[in-house]
């Protein structure tokens, strides 16, 4: 994959991505490289519609280090799409996934709201699976979201032009993922964690010790010559 250097915390967007459609995904459909791979059905529900909330946001920290090069190439999330009820189901519409850094607000490695954090990039995916069942839906992005990390993770804000019902799972062993509402942490219990999957890769930043050692080795080689 082609890589280009850019400022820490900012995404390199190579033109606007064309609309894509989410579909039911299984093992291997999003490739073999994942930053987080926890999408699964079961557990509690998060309903997003005009009568409850306009969006949901999920915070992921402890995934990498500031300065690492991160590429997010796809997403998968568990959705309830079992009927045509607009208040209790996922309806056809366009999902927008907005990715933010965690290094811009007063709280380190926490999402302090979209007004405080750097927008890393956005992806729009069409959902046409209304009334198709409860499953994990996802897609690979036409254009990856590439950035130099300003923290140990990122947040993703999920919106749709239609109502959606997302399945929430129990707390992962790491305890990193908490449901939030644009920076305001809502009441969290054992079933209030968003278990999503993010395809992609992380390239660690060169360590200072490694760069010094490499420089000394090069200096020694030149002296021997």
């Amino acid at each position: 994959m082609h890589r280009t250097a850019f400022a820490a915390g900012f995404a390199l967007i190579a033109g606007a991505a064309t609309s894509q459609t989410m579909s039911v995904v299984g093992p291997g459909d999003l490739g073999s490289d994942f930053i987080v791979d926890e999408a699964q059905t079961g557990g509690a529900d998060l309903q997003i519609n005009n009568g409850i909330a306009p969006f949901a946001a999920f915070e992921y920290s402890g995934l990498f280090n500031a300065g690492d090069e991160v590429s997010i190439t796809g997403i998968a999330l568990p959705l309830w799409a079992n009927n045509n009820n607009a208040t209790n189901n996922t309806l056809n519409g366009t999902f927008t996934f907005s990715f933010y850094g965690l290094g811009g607000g007063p709280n380190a490695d926490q999402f302090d709201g979209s007004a405080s954090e750097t927008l890393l990039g956005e992806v729009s995916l069409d959902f046409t699976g209304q009334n198709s069942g409860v499953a994990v839906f996802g897609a690979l992005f036409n254009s990856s979201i590439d950035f130099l990390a300003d923290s140990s993770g990122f947040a993703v804000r999920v919106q749709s032009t239609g109502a959606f019902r997302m399945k929430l799972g129990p707390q992962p062993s790491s305890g990193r993922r908490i449901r939030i509402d644009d920076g305001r942490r809502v009441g969290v219990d054992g079933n209030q964690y968003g278990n999503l999957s993010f395809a992609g890769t992380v390239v660690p930043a060169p360590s200072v010790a490694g760069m010094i050692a490499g420089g000394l080795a090069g200096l020694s080689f030149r002296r021997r010559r």
Side-chain angles (χ1 to χ4, degrees):
M1 180 174 61
H2 176 69
R3 293 299 181 93
T4 304
F6 45 91
F10 287 85
L12 179 69
I13 307 298
T18 58
S19 181
Q20 300 172 259
T21 301
M22 287 194 291
S23 60
V24 177
V25 295
D29 289 340
L30 297 184
S32 59
D33 295 324
F34 286 87
I35 300 172
V36 176
D37 188 14
E38 295 178 344
Q40 57 182 307
T41 58
D45 297 291
L46 172 65
Q47 296 168 242
I48 301 295
N49 56 48
N50 292 334
I52 299 178
F55 60 81
F58 300 89
E59 175 186 288
Y60 292 77
S61 61
L63 302 176
F64 37 75
N65 297 308
D68 289 352
E69 187 176 353
V70 183
S71 179
I72 303 175
T73 58
I75 193 171
L77 68 163
L79 296 174
W80 177 289
N82 233 14
N83 54 58
N84 297 313
N85 187 338
T87 61
N88 197 34
N89 191 51
T90 301
L91 301 182
N92 293 341
T94 299
F95 278 80
T96 299
F97 300 96
S98 304
F99 293 86
Y100 293 88
L102 303 180
N107 299 298
D109 288 326
Q110 291 186 9
F111 182 57
D112 290 303
S114 56
S116 299
E117 306 292 0
T118 298
L119 177 64
L120 304 173
E122 291 185 332
V123 175
S124 293
L125 301 174
D126 290 333
F127 179 80
T128 59
Q130 177 178 314
N131 205 28
S132 62
V134 181
V136 174
F137 293 84
L140 289 170
F141 302 155
N142 283 338
S143 298
S144 61
I145 295 178
D146 300 328
F147 58 95
L148 296 182
D150 64 0
S151 61
S152 72
F154 58 87
V156 58
R157 191 170 71 169
V158 185
Q159 296 176 277
S160 178
T161 56
F164 69 93
R165 179 178 174 182
M166 181 177 166
K167 303 299 291 181
L168 299 174
Q171 179 178 358
S173 59
S174 61
R176 291 190 302 252
R177 298 151 190 87
I178 184 171
R179 180 164 65 91
I180 53 182
D181 182 1
D182 204 11
R184 179 181 64 86
R185 281 160 173 73
V186 299
V188 175
D189 61 35
N191 284 319
Q192 294 295 304
Y193 291 82
N195 292 334
L196 288 76
S197 291
F198 301 92
T201 58
V202 176
V203 178
S207 67
V208 174
M211 290 189 291
I212 292 175
L216 292 175
L219 180 61
S220 175
F221 175 78
R222 287 194 297 270
R223 285 178 174 173
R224 287 198 300 272
R225 294 182 63 186

